């Protein structure tokens, strides 16, 4: 991302990991278009990022609405402006036992976490292919890598992002588009607070070797590295866990 006039799009950018990533980019002089389906979250994001009125833009978008997504990108980002980065952070999940998970729950999560990510990535990559490339980062989850309880629907949608990353990085390398995937462990965000609850929080803190939740900024630091052409120009197709050691661990040492 050496071209600072170019814009980076962050979906789900009005809260948690997406918001921290937008702040990371803006603090380094980049232009960011924050997209989110929640008007309330967009309003607080606008307030949180008020120092960047010249470089931060905001728009309502539900990533499952492909027609609206196509219209928004073409109307908000003229062809003369390159899109140098895309972060797919829009997503949601819940801790639901397998026997209580409905097919509709799986479909709803798939639409946002996978299909929404797929559709905007294809549109943005098309734009990038005509302007010399760029960097795309999908936000998956440690639950997309292993069988965490209660994640049959969420985990399956997040696992799909791992393979999407690999195929996209393979096919898009020739256009100088890098595609990587970040798998957060438990991160202090509204989504995690709702999905984990108090009992889940205790469990996570016991099972993560570093014995704590990560912060949204700790994810943004890695996403920022992967977006930055100078830092990660030869990194593509990678699945990076940022999880306090959770994925690497097995039997834990006594506290
Ligand atoms: N917090 C964690 O512990 C954790 C762990 C692993 C992965 N993740 C992933 O990180 C990403 C960000 O989650 P977060 O924890 O920052 O959650 P969050 O709820 O704080 O932020 C998610 C944002 O995405 C928006 N969003 C949801 N559905 C959308 C849609 N259809 N269209 C547009 N925007 C939409 C929400 O309004 C919200 O502002 C998600 O994909 C999540 O699955 C989070």
């Amino acid at each position: 991302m050496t071209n600072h006039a170019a814009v980076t799009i962050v979906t789900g950018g009005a809260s948690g990991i997406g918001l921290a990533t937008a702040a990371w980019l803006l603090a380094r002089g980049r232009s960011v278009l924050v997209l989110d389906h929640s008007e309330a979250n967009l309003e607080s994001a606008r307030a949180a990022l008020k120092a960047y009125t010249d470089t931060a833009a905001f728009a309502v978008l539900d990533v499952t609405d492909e027609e609206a997504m196509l219209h928004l990108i073409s109307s908000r980002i003229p062809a003369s402006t390159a899109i140098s980065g895309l972060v797919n952070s829009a997503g949601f999940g819940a801790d639901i036992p397998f026997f209580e998970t409905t097919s509709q729950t799986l479909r709803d999560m798939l639409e946002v976490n996978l299909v929404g990510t797929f559709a905007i990535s294809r549109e943005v990559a098309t734009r990038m292919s005509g302007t010399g490339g760029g960097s795309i980062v999908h936000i998956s989850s440690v639950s997309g890598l292993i069988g965490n309880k209660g994640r049959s629907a969420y985990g399956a949608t997040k696992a799909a992002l791992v393979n999407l990353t690999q195929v996209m990085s393979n096919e898009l390398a020739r256009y100088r588009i890098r595609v990587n995937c970040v798998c957060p462990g438990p991160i202090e965000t509204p989504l995690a607070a709702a999905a984990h609850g108090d009992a889940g929080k205790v469990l996570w803190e016991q099972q993560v070797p570093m014995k704590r939740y990560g912060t949204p900024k700790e994810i943004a630091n890695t996403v920022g590295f992967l977006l930055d052409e100078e830092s990660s120009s030869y990194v593509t197709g990678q699945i990076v866990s940022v999880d306090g050691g959770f994925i690497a661990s097995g039997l834990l040492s006594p506290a």
Side-chain angles (χ1 to χ4, degrees):
M1 266 200 357
T2 41
N3 180 1
H4 287 203
V7 68
T8 295
I9 297 174
V10 183
T11 74
S15 176
I17 291 166
L19 177 60
T21 301
W24 190 100
L25 291 162
L26 291 162
R28 286 158 184 80
R30 316 295 162 88
S31 291
V32 177
L33 175 57
V34 172
L35 303 180
D36 207 288
H37 74 160
S38 161
E39 299 205 22
N41 287 1
L42 279 168
E43 202 165 306
S44 3
R46 226 183 237 114
L49 303 175
K50 66 177 184 303
Y52 306 106
T53 43
D54 291 345
T55 46
F58 303 84
V60 177
L61 178 73
D62 185 329
V63 295
T64 64
D65 186 342
E66 187 162 352
E67 208 175 306
M69 178 274 291
L70 295 172
H71 178 258
L72 189 133
I73 290 182
S74 62
S75 61
R76 290 295 290 262
I77 309 175
S80 55
T81 301
I83 305 175
S84 59
L86 168 67
V87 180
N88 286 302
S89 193
F92 77 102
D95 186 342
I96 313 170
F98 176 71
F99 281 126
E100 291 163 31
T101 302
T102 64
S103 305
Q104 192 56 48
T105 297
L106 173 58
R107 284 191 194 98
D108 291 345
M109 288 188 193
L110 262 180
E111 275 299 314
V112 179
N113 298 353
L114 178 61
V115 183
T117 292
F118 173 87
I120 195 168
S121 296
R122 196 183 48 195
E123 180 61 14
V124 167
T126 304
R127 288 278 295 259
M128 287 175 168
S129 68
T131 54
S135 172
I136 297 175
V137 180
H138 301 316
I139 307 297
S140 174
S141 168
V142 290
S143 296
L145 301 176
I146 51 170
N148 286 329
K149 70 162 189 67
R151 285 5 182 230
S152 54
Y154 179 70
T157 67
K158 291 298 188 176
L161 291 178
V162 170
N163 187 253
L164 181 65
T165 302
Q166 292 167 332
V167 177
M168 285 178 65
S169 64
N170 179 355
E171 290 193 24
L172 301 181
R174 74 188 63 182
Y175 303 106
R176 298 172 54 90
I177 300 170
R178 297 180 299 106
V179 186
N180 292 287
C181 180
V182 171
C183 295
I187 307 301
E188 288 162 2
T189 70
L191 181 147
H196 300 175
D198 291 343
K201 186 167 192 297
V202 171
L203 209 53
W204 276 107
E205 284 169 347
Q206 283 167 353
Q207 306 219 350
V208 169
M210 289 181 76
K211 303 291 178 207
R212 67 170 176 87
Y213 276 49
T215 64
K217 183 152 184 279
E218 288 177 310
I219 303 300
N221 288 338
T222 300
V223 176
F225 163 79
L226 292 169
L227 288 172
D228 185 10
E229 185 60 28
E230 281 168 26
S231 307
S232 59
S233 50
Y234 202 48
V235 182
T236 194
Q238 296 307 298
I239 314 303
V240 185
S241 294
V242 183
D243 65 351
F246 178 72
I247 282 294
S249 67
L251 189 62
L252 294 179
S253 300

